[in-house]
Amino acid sequence: MARRALRAGAARDAVAVGLERLRTELEIPTDFPAEALTEARRAAERGPADPKAYADRSDLELVTLDPPSSQDLDQAFHLARSGSGYVVHYAIADVAAFVRPGGALDVETHRRGLTTYGPDGRYGLHPPELSEGAASLLPDVERPAVLWRLALDGDGALTDVDVRRSWVRSRAKLSYAQVQADLDASTAPEMLQLLPVVGQLRADAQIERGGATLDVPDQEVARTDAGAWTLTYRAGLPSDEYNAQLSLLTGIAAARLHREAGAGIWRTLAPARDGDVVRLRHVARALGLDWPRRVSYGMFAAGLDASRPAHAAFATEATRLFRGAGYTAFGTSANPGVPTGAAHSAIAAEYAHTTAPLRRLVDRYAGEVALAHLAGTPVPEWVLAALDDLPATMAAANQRANAYEKASVDLVEAVLLSGREGEVLDAVVVESTPSREEGREGEARATVLVDEPAVRSRIAGPADALVLGTRVRVRVVGADVERRTVALEVA
């Protein structure tokens, strides 16, 4: 008989202690220096240095679309028809209005690079006074914003771009589930009914350009009302993807302005190597999936359903095509020319991160280049001076945030399986590689996704039991909370 699992209170304590130790190990910034906090509070009280430099667009009935608990609201949007096409207004929090270049807060944001998310909360790029207060696009209050106006034709292609600083007022803070339910019930307001129309046009255009999106099972750590930890697989809603397409559209528009300005910073991803695509075709064949030779990867991936084991296995294998994203800065003394071949292969376009400045440092700089170019003014010196160092700053921040997120999930996995040795669980094989070691013929090393709790783990065992895309039963061998590891075997 399996030993009894950790009691709820002991599990809560184990996770809390483990996360605190993890933040120390990875040097996750938690508290802000006193001087940076003082600057943030004064900026929140003062607001923009020149309020008259902002156009009044509080008439736009913008809304935000985020997870229900979010208060750091970077973006708000409004959609409208215009003849046979569409107009997208996309408001971005104007973080530069609150952060003084070279000041203590600016220095601290460069040290952090990103907002870091974990099971017990987030550790912000900016203090809450700004990120969840004066700079956040919360509903029913006027906020300074970088307001984009993006004109699209009937096929969703970008035909005109405008961006300027503006006062805006969000009308509602919406959630993905709420919007999706209204869309499914045909009760969404007229403006929101355009979200799937514009979103799908942009998604189709991305695939036609040669890009792709992946529906990969995502682990999500949460807590019940009673405080117990849970681990589930989160499936993205269509409204999530449609909203993401508005962000991608803005980033593509920003990159276009960077090219025209001769300066900027792009998010880049090299094309997949031919050998990786060939390998992926072999994976599809092994899974019994029909991938016609003339069908592009993006078009094939668009038809996948991650709830089906074979599709989930294929999507997991396909993530290898999207590794190695980074940033490319240009228009500086070190990198004077506009780069060639610096697109983002998954988006199949030149692209700049510019829509999440409350949570991602680089976006503040990308927005400033676009604003300066359309205003006909030189890019600010403080922007140009920072561009060359930003790729390395963001790479380090991403590495730290990803390590924290993965280790946090590993910790919760270990806590949830602690004391359950001997239990047999259902799982899906999403990666499998036959062993090449002498004496281990007929064995394989694999990755499995356990149904409940939503544990993702490596496992070794008979190759005929660990077949890619099939279901398998696994037994819990052990769980080490201190080391954040779990051990499974084929049952």
Side-chain angles (χ1 to χ4, degrees), residues 13-25:
D13 293 343
V15 171
V17 171
L19 290 174
E20 186 173 355
R21 182 163 61 89
L22 182 57
R23 287 191 287 272
T24 301
E25 288 176 12

Side-chain angles (χ1 to χ4, degrees), residues 84-393:
S84 60
Y86 309 90
V87 174
V88 178
H89 280 97
Y90 209 62
I92 311 298
D94 187 11
V95 176
F98 298 93
V99 180
R100 178 172 59 86
L105 179 57
D106 188 33
V107 170
E108 180 63 14
T109 60
H110 278 259
R111 186 172 78 91
R112 294 175 178 236
L114 289 167
T115 291
T116 303
Y117 293 88
D120 60 346
R122 56 183 174 268
Y123 298 91
L125 175 63
H126 301 91
E129 288 86 348
L130 294 180
S131 63
E132 300 179 14
S136 178
L137 302 184
L138 297 165
D140 301 321
V141 288
E142 285 199 355
R143 288 289 187 259
V146 176
L147 181 63
W148 293 78
R149 183 186 183 278
L150 307 166
L152 310 178
D153 65 16
D155 295 324
L158 184 62
T159 60
D160 189 50
V161 179
D162 184 61
V163 58
R164 61 190 65 199
R165 286 192 154 92
S166 304
W167 290 106
V168 301
R169 178 187 288 266
S170 170
R171 299 303 198 270
K173 178 179 179 292
L174 306 178
S175 70
Y176 296 112
Q178 172 190 355
V179 168
Q180 191 60 54
D182 289 343
L183 290 172
D184 292 342
S186 299
T187 57
E190 183 178 355
M191 189 275 284
L192 285 178
Q193 290 176 24
L194 291 177
L195 180 62
V197 176
V198 174
Q200 192 60 56
L201 284 172
R202 294 301 303 174
D204 291 344
Q206 180 177 344
I207 293 171
E208 289 171 8
R209 292 192 305 267
T213 59
L214 272 180
D215 184 13
V216 182
D218 234 356
Q219 289 173 290
E220 184 173 71
V221 179
R223 299 181 78 171
T224 66
D225 292 340
W229 293 98
T230 63
L231 193 55
T232 58
Y233 297 114
R234 178 183 181 273
L237 295 170
S239 59
D240 199 336
E241 171 61 20
Y242 300 146
N243 189 47
Q245 285 296 332
L246 299 185
S247 178
L248 291 177
L249 169 65
T250 310
I252 290 171
R256 178 183 296 185
L257 298 184
H258 289 189
R259 172 171 283 282
E260 294 175 3
I265 183 164
W266 293 344
R267 183 66 165 165
T268 54
L269 177 65
R273 294 175 297 182
D274 291 342
D276 288 338
V277 177
V278 170
R279 183 193 63 79
L280 198 57
R281 283 191 174 274
H282 289 317
V283 169
R285 190 177 303 116
L287 291 168
L289 303 178
D290 181 21
W291 182 358
R293 178 62 57 182
R294 294 186 178 181
V295 173
S296 70
Y297 163 71
M299 195 170 295
F300 176 67
L304 297 177
D305 177 2
S307 66
R308 299 172 63 180
H311 292 201
F314 179 87
T316 300
E317 289 284 325
T319 57
R320 299 186 188 187
L321 299 185
F322 299 112
R323 293 174 182 170
Y327 292 92
T328 299
F330 58 96
T332 66
S333 56
N335 299 287
V338 178
T340 58
H344 192 293
S345 63
I347 299 169
E350 293 170 346
Y351 170 67
H353 271 157
T354 192
T355 62
L358 287 173
R359 294 169 284 169
R360 194 169 49 210
L361 174 66
V362 69
D363 298 46
R364 171 161 43 114
Y365 292 87
E368 290 303 306
V369 174
L371 284 164
H373 177 63
L374 276 191
T377 60
V379 176
E381 283 300 321
W382 64 267
V383 173
L384 294 175
L387 289 183
D388 284 330
D389 291 333
L390 277 175
T393 297

Side-chain angles (χ1 to χ4, degrees), residues 44-56:
E45 294 170 359
R46 181 189 66 244
D50 184 8
K52 293 182 180 179
Y54 290 72
D56 183 4

